[in-house]
Amino acid sequence: MVIKSKESLHKTLEIHKNKEKTIGLVPTMGALHDGHLALIDFAYKFCDVVVVSIFVNPTQFNNSSDLEKYPRHVEKDAAFLKKHNFKTLVFTPNVEEVYADGLKSESYNFGSIVDHMEGEFRAGHFDGVGSVLKRLFAIVSPDKAFFGEKDYQQLIAVKTLVNITGQKVEIIGCPTNRNEFGLAQSSRNFRLSDTQLKEGELIFEALSQAKSMFDDYSILDIEREVNKKFQQSTLKLEYFSIVKTKDLIPTTTKEPKEAYRGFIAAFLGDVRLIDNMALN
Ligand code: PAF
């Protein structure tokens, strides 16, 4: 069922809420793929009713051409969900529905978790994500909301957002869904040619290599290897960072009993891809 307005969504959800059904929200920007299906499947393990929102949020793009080129095909998305027998409520609001008081971004104090990586390379991105999610949480009032670990920094930022706003929604992370060669599923993959899809596997290979080296090599050695891999490829590495999982701050030293993750952003042509992996 595709719902465009807040009013219709509220009417439909009221029926479920009156029956004390658990409502889940899977926020998306559309161009749905197998990764979204896994996320929705995961949401149904915890919830009776799942709302999938499709909204390309202008405030989280720091680059207008990236916003323009973002793949949009709502009808195809709705058909894709139907084909997979999902009884989701598909919420496709327009900008006025979401930003009724004007298209602007709020500023949030997320702390150090957004100082690096996506926060550093995409100015204002997390404020934009926070702004739209605060609004979507207010519109849908879900009990739980689901986010993929491919956007790990976003997942942690959203957990911080609900602490800041006090909104009563549980934020649940879902493991990254990958294609058979390890490339993380992403709407941006729709813009890659077959050759580029193959070349994109390097991101997973590099993260896997970092993981296999982690116990025996220094972080500087691992960074050198990963950088070398990218220099010999057609991908342009924007960053490779090894961070402590607890604060998402890049580090060059390892401490015992500390958890670490590796993060990559790289360009394939003009398509920007990100991924990350737990290293220990
Ligand atoms: O991850 C995304 O697709 C977006 O950042 C989100 C969470 C839907 C907010 O616009």
Side-chain angles (χ1 to χ4, degrees):
M1 183 177 189
V2 179
I3 301 175
K4 289 192 171 141
S5 73
K6 286 185 269 194
E7 284 68 28
S8 314
L9 182 72
H10 289 158
K11 272 193 200 132
T12 310
L13 285 179
E14 208 180 294
I15 302 168
H16 296 294
K17 286 182 182 172
N18 287 342
K19 291 185 193 156
E20 303 204 344
K21 301 280 184 201
T22 307
I23 313 290
L25 172 65
V26 178
T28 81
M29 297 206 295
L32 301 180
H33 48 70
D34 291 350
H36 290 116
L37 294 184
L39 202 53
I40 296 166
D41 223 9
F42 193 71
Y44 271 114
K45 293 194 200 325
F46 299 82
C47 303
D48 305 305
V49 177
V50 175
V51 178
V52 176
S53 60
I54 298 181
F55 179 68
V56 181
N57 172 36
T59 65
Q60 71 187 73
F61 287 82
N62 59 329
N63 177 330
S64 55
S65 108
D66 198 21
L67 169 62
E68 219 169 90
K69 287 184 187 153
Y70 202 86
R72 293 167 171 86
H73 29 76
V74 174
E75 270 98 60
K76 208 166 139 197
D77 287 342
F80 181 69
L81 291 177
K82 210 167 157 198
K83 183 174 142 218
H84 288 86
N85 287 327
F86 280 120
K87 296 192 172 30
T88 48
L89 298 175
V90 184
F91 180 48
T92 61
N94 60 21
V95 170
E96 289 72 35
E97 271 312 290
V98 178
Y99 289 94
D101 54 346
L103 183 59
K104 58 179 187 297
S105 206
E106 281 171 62
S107 155
Y108 299 97
N109 184 5
F110 290 113
S112 70
I113 56 151
V114 302
D115 283 349
H116 302 278
M117 304 180 295
E118 293 307 281
E120 183 182 343
F121 285 89
R122 301 181 70 188
H125 171 69
F126 287 113
D127 281 337
V129 170
S131 301
V132 75
L133 289 176
K134 182 181 158 191
R135 287 155 192 271
L136 288 172
F137 293 158
I139 295 170
V140 180
S141 297
D143 299 293
K144 301 172 197 296
F146 298 83
F147 297 85
E149 285 185 355
K150 177 181 78 70
D151 300 293
Y152 192 85
Q153 202 176 5
Q154 168 171 279
L155 169 64
I156 305 304
V158 180
K159 288 187 177 179
T160 310
L161 175 79
V162 296
N163 284 335
I164 296 171
T165 62
Q167 286 171 304
K168 300 258 167 297
V169 46
E170 185 187 353
I171 305 304
I172 301 182
C174 173
T176 302
N177 191 271
R178 302 178 179 284
N179 76 8
E180 57 184 314
F181 305 109
L183 180 68
Q185 303 281 8
S186 163
S187 303
R188 292 167 192 261
N189 296 358
F190 283 113
R191 294 183 49 217
L192 299 176
S193 66
D194 287 348
T195 316
Q196 285 177 320
L197 279 170
K198 197 94 200 69
E199 289 166 344
E201 292 163 23
L202 184 83
I203 298 174
F204 178 68
E205 273 170 38
L207 287 168
S208 304
Q209 180 171 9
K211 186 181 167 84
S212 67
M213 289 177 73
F214 193 76
D215 287 342
D216 304 322
Y217 292 84
S218 72
I219 289 184
L220 289 175
D221 281 341
I222 300 171
E223 285 177 350
R224 215 169 290 123
E225 273 311 301
V226 168
N227 277 298
K228 204 162 84 195
K229 243 180 154 41
F230 276 88
Q231 273 155 19
Q232 292 162 350
S233 79
T234 50
L235 281 89
K236 191 167 163 285
L237 184 64
E238 187 166 58
Y239 62 74
F240 167 62
S241 300
I242 292 183
V243 307
K244 279 189 192 160
T245 305
K246 70 173 179 213
D247 58 15
L248 302 186
I249 298 180
T251 179
T252 49
T253 53
K254 289 190 263 182
E255 287 164 36
K257 296 195 181 135
E258 200 65 65
Y260 295 86
R261 281 187 101 86
F263 288 75
I264 285 180
F267 282 92
L268 245 176
D270 66 348
V271 182
R272 187 175 183 277
L273 301 172
I274 62 170
D275 200 355
N276 70 89
M277 193 181 278
L279 299 179
N280 62 340

